[in-house]
Amino acid sequence: MKKIIVSIFIILFAATSSAFAKNTNDGITVEHSTPGIYVFKMDTKKMGDKIKPHVANKLTTTSDIYKNNENYSLVVNGGFFDILTGDAVSYVTIDGNVVETPFSNMKLIQNAGKTNRLEAILNRAEFRILQDKRGALSFDIDNHFAPVEEGKTIKHSIQGGPLIYPKMNLEKESFIKTENNKVTFQAADVLKRRERTVLGLKNELLYLIIFTNQNKVTVNEIRDFCKKMKFDKAMALDGGASTSINYKNVEIYSSLGSQRRVKSFLVVEK
């Protein structure tokens, strides 16, 4: 397999690669016109039932999930997790069942409770695949405690954060803390330029945007990007060293020549 490696030492440069042809026969459109930015576009009406979260039994890479599941055409890193214990920091729902919850991470719950951050962490943004009584699917991005439209239920969801567009409140999602108009705390390097994994919705299209270390961005810069793209809604998943994706003959790395092992993923089935 040809590997396109993004690391401190190896810079990704593949604008002319056939893997980035705009039209592919699997329903995924890929654009790579700007160095370090990859945009994967999917029509949710045509392939919405193929998009869902995946949770590994233990920390593993997107490459391992991709190679060991012949039915997956694309795998990208998902929500936040504890890199030491593998415990969840984000909610994940698959087929209506909550399979990952921050409450499995008692260290997080105790520490967040002591600092009055717990509710904000639990209410971070999530990507939702909704189902109505007839089985029709729709897609949304909202905070975890936001109510679901009447007549619909959450079939799949994967949480990350922050909510990026059309509104962003980093403090309400406990990504920053301020005192006297000064930032005293930040999580996930949101105010720094880092690699990022972003989901955007526009009409019935789902966009997956990868910012590699060739084009690191802050969440404010992502917001401006989403505004330019005229998204309806957008959110971030885990980023930084976790940013990784496998699609066809492409592997994108974001740390030291090897993909970070992560807990949850968003996958597209063939």
Side-chain angles (χ1 to χ4, degrees), residues 214-265:
Q214 193 180 357
N215 202 326
K216 298 179 181 181
V217 287
T218 67
V219 290
N220 289 323
E221 290 168 333
I222 297 173
R223 178 195 57 200
D224 295 339
F225 178 91
C226 293
K227 183 178 181 180
K228 184 177 180 180
M229 292 287 290
K230 297 181 179 180
F231 287 157
D232 298 320
K233 292 185 176 182
M235 63 169 283
L237 290 172
D238 191 5
S242 296
T243 297
S244 53
I245 190 169
N246 281 73
Y247 174 70
K248 292 193 172 181
N249 66 333
V250 176
E251 294 184 43
I252 292 178
Y253 297 76
S254 292
S255 62
L256 301 177
S258 62
Q259 292 180 341
R260 171 186 273 178
R261 294 181 300 147
V262 300
K263 183 66 174 176
S264 62
F265 309 83

Side-chain angles (χ1 to χ4, degrees), residues 16-214:
T16 60
S17 170
S18 60
F20 297 99
K22 287 193 175 182
N23 296 306
T24 57
N25 59 12
D26 57 9
I28 301 174
T29 300
V30 189
E31 296 182 2
H32 177 52
S33 57
T34 302
I37 302 178
Y38 295 79
V39 180
F40 300 78
K41 183 170 65 175
M42 290 158 273
D43 187 332
T44 61
K45 281 296 182 184
K46 294 180 179 179
M47 56 188 305
D49 60 341
K50 298 180 180 180
I51 304 167
K52 59 186 62 177
H54 176 98
V55 174
N57 292 328
K58 61 180 181 179
L59 298 185
T60 189
T61 65
T62 64
S63 177
D64 285 339
I65 297 297
Y66 180 79
K67 293 174 182 177
N68 292 325
N69 291 272
E70 295 181 355
N71 195 38
Y72 291 169
S73 64
L74 182 150
V75 180
V76 66
N77 70 283
F80 296 103
F81 64 100
D82 188 315
I83 61 174
L84 297 178
T85 65
D87 292 333
V89 178
S90 302
Y91 285 100
V92 179
T93 299
I94 300 177
D95 290 322
N97 299 309
V98 178
V99 296
E100 287 284 288
T101 167
F103 284 98
S104 66
N105 189 336
M106 290 311 300
K107 179 181 177 182
L108 167 72
I109 297 300
Q110 292 169 358
N111 290 340
K114 292 176 182 177
T115 56
N116 296 319
R117 298 175 57 226
L118 180 57
E119 183 175 357
I121 291 174
L122 298 178
N123 196 34
R124 285 175 173 171
E126 63 186 14
F127 170 62
R128 295 173 168 178
I129 301 177
L130 307 171
Q131 187 174 45
D132 66 17
K133 295 179 180 179
R134 297 174 297 175
L137 301 179
S138 58
F139 293 70
D140 197 12
I141 292 172
D142 214 330
N143 292 101
H144 181 72
F145 294 142
V148 176
E149 183 180 344
E150 186 176 354
K152 296 183 179 182
T153 58
I154 295 177
K155 181 174 183 179
H156 307 303
S157 69
I158 187 165
Q159 188 183 42
L163 186 67
I164 299 291
Y165 192 80
K167 58 183 178 179
M168 181 169 62
N169 194 319
L170 301 179
E171 198 151 14
K172 283 189 176 181
E173 291 190 45
S174 193
F175 281 99
I176 65 169
K177 182 178 180 180
T178 61
E179 293 181 8
N180 299 321
N181 295 320
K182 292 184 178 181
V183 175
T184 58
F185 166 84
Q186 67 171 298
D189 289 340
V190 291
L191 302 179
K192 298 179 181 179
R193 283 190 170 86
R194 292 300 308 270
E195 304 88 350
R196 303 287 176 184
T197 305
V198 179
L199 296 176
L201 291 172
K202 182 165 67 173
N203 299 323
E204 294 176 344
L205 297 175
L206 172 64
Y207 289 79
L208 168 61
I209 307 101
I210 302 294
F211 296 89
T212 73
N213 76 342
Q214 193 180 357

